[in-house]
Amino acid sequence: MLVLGIESSCDETGVALYDTEHGLLAHQLHTQIAMHAEYGGVVPELASRDHIRRLTPLTQACLHQAGKTFADIDAIAYTQGPGLGGALLAGASFANALAFALNKPIIPVHHLEGHMLSPLLSDDKPDFPFVALLVSGGHTQFMAVKGIGDYTLLGESIDDAAGEAFDKTAKLLGLPYPGGAKLSELARLGHSGSLHFPRPMLHSHDLNMSFSGLKTAVLTAFNKIKAETGCGEALPEQIRHDICREFQNAVVDVLTSKAEQTLQQTGYKQLVVAGGVGANWQLRQSLSSLPGVHTFFPPLAYCTDNGAMIAFAGAMHLSSARPTGSFNVRPRWPLSQIVK
């Protein structure tokens, strides 16, 4: 069965073809980073309009890459939510219209489930069960994954997600959009130990997390350093790098500690890390060094939003495919609504 996957939840337009016998055949991705950089963040209306422009040529390019035609498609999967309403509608409209024209079934996919299953696209893939750490700009959650559709929420951030804290801290430091990735790059140049930021909820005796207070601690230190040095907004480069490093150290320490606790409580020996922050170099190093644990990451190309993860998740839910008809999107769609 050949499944076409459509992803348009935010600022990436992704299209992919997944074959249930031969695996991923093709994927195409367009990022809107350059367009949104001028505004310092995602502009929803611009994102929606750009998805509309990109979906048809990306789909055609994907079919050409795979050596397939529209007639070869057996089902179409699309991101139903969560995400930006207009952006989701662009992808949902395209997917449903195409499915109607081809008389093919349609499969709505939860965006986070796509991320959670994306490491299964790798050659080195986990077996069920495993612990999944979903860590992105909008979500930081630990899930017990016993099989496709069999998920249990174990812990999550009670305020800012880790990726959101990265982006907000980067903006505070005057780093260009997308700030989180730039902060991670500068952290390589920073010195550990020159500053110290708190590790929120590190000893909370549960699996929940909090990153809002960490962001506030950076703001406090930032203002204190400016007052002491009299440098205004132009912090010395090394101090800025040191702030980036210590902030990243704090986030990684919390995520690593909570991951270890989660694995101990479940007794699982496999950890899957998915979502945009899963590309962070220091987090990868730290989680890969957990003793007695096999840690899996999706390829870097599948850490950000992409059509491959939606096509794969759709293929795993072929039994729930339905005829086209009325459709809706779900900008707010808690993962808890698809877990047991």
Side-chain angles (χ1 to χ4, degrees):
M1 298 286 283
L2 184 64
V3 179
L4 175 70
I6 305 293
E7 157 60 26
S8 68
S9 63
C10 190
D11 58 346
E12 270 101 16
T13 313
V15 180
L17 283 166
Y18 183 86
D19 188 285
T20 54
E21 289 188 6
H22 303 290
L24 185 66
L25 300 185
H27 72 101
Q28 297 286 325
L29 183 69
H30 173 77
T31 180
Q32 301 174 359
I33 286 177
M35 180 176 68
H36 296 298
E38 180 180 353
Y39 306 95
V42 177
V43 181
E45 179 64 20
L46 294 180
S48 304
R49 291 174 181 270
D50 198 64
H51 287 308
I52 294 170
R53 285 193 293 268
R54 306 290 178 180
L55 280 165
T56 297
L58 286 175
T59 301
Q60 292 171 334
C62 208
L63 288 167
H64 178 75
Q65 181 185 354
K68 301 292 184 180
T69 68
F70 283 109
D72 295 318
I73 297 171
D74 295 303
I76 299 174
Y78 72 96
T79 302
Q80 189 179 38
L84 301 175
L88 290 169
L89 278 169
S93 300
F94 179 83
N96 278 269
L98 185 57
F100 181 80
L102 299 175
N103 193 27
K104 300 297 182 181
I106 195 82
I107 310 168
V109 173
H110 194 293
H111 179 78
L112 294 182
E113 184 179 24
H115 273 304
M116 188 162 58
L117 298 179
S118 61
L120 296 175
L121 288 164
S122 303
D123 293 332
D124 180 24
K125 63 187 69 174
D127 298 316
F128 298 113
F130 56 79
V131 167
L133 168 57
L134 296 173
V135 57
S136 67
H139 303 85
T140 302
Q141 299 172 318
F142 285 103
M143 308 289 296
V145 181
K146 298 178 183 178
I148 301 297
D150 190 351
Y151 316 128
T152 303
L153 179 64
L154 302 174
E156 61 185 337
S157 175
I158 62 175
D159 43 50
D160 287 356
E164 186 179 5
F166 263 94
D167 289 339
K168 288 181 177 179
T169 300
K171 189 171 185 179
L172 165 68
L173 295 174
L175 302 181
Y177 173 86
K182 184 64 175 178
L183 187 155
S184 179
E185 290 177 22
L186 296 183
R188 291 182 181 273
L189 307 175
H191 300 137
S192 295
S194 59
L195 297 162
H196 180 76
F197 294 139
R199 274 62 173 162
M201 297 186 70
L202 188 65
H203 305 292
S204 62
H205 304 295
D206 59 26
L207 302 177
N208 292 328
M209 296 153 284
S210 169
F211 296 104
S212 181
L214 175 58
K215 175 192 63 185
T216 303
V218 174
L219 175 61
T220 301
F222 181 75
N223 290 332
K224 180 180 179 182
I225 292 170
K226 287 195 300 182
E228 290 176 348
T229 61
C231 62
E233 298 297 326
L235 282 181
E237 272 195 2
Q238 190 57 55
I239 292 178
R240 192 183 303 273
H241 297 165
D242 292 348
I243 292 175
C244 291
R245 183 57 180 264
E246 176 54 20
F247 168 81
Q248 183 166 278
N249 286 347
V251 173
V252 170
D253 283 352
V254 170
L255 291 175
T256 302
S257 175
K258 295 292 182 176
E260 197 164 18
Q261 292 177 51
T262 305
L263 290 159
Q264 289 173 352
Q265 288 189 23
T266 60
Y268 296 168
K269 300 299 182 183
Q270 297 179 108
L271 173 66
V272 160
V273 185
V277 183
N280 182 277
W281 62 271
Q282 189 174 348
L283 182 63
R284 286 188 168 227
Q285 288 179 0
S286 182
L287 293 178
S288 295
S289 65
L290 288 173
V293 176
H294 192 171
T295 304
F296 299 85
F297 300 91
L300 290 176
Y302 306 140
C303 285
T304 58
D305 297 346
N306 63 87
M309 68 182 191
I310 302 303
F312 178 78
M316 297 301 101
H317 289 289
L318 275 171
S319 60
S320 64
R322 62 196 191 197
T324 55
S326 60
F327 69 91
N328 68 325
V329 295
R330 306 180 70 174
R332 295 184 181 275
W333 189 5
L335 190 57
S336 59
Q337 292 184 6
I338 69 166
V339 302
K340 287 192 171 183

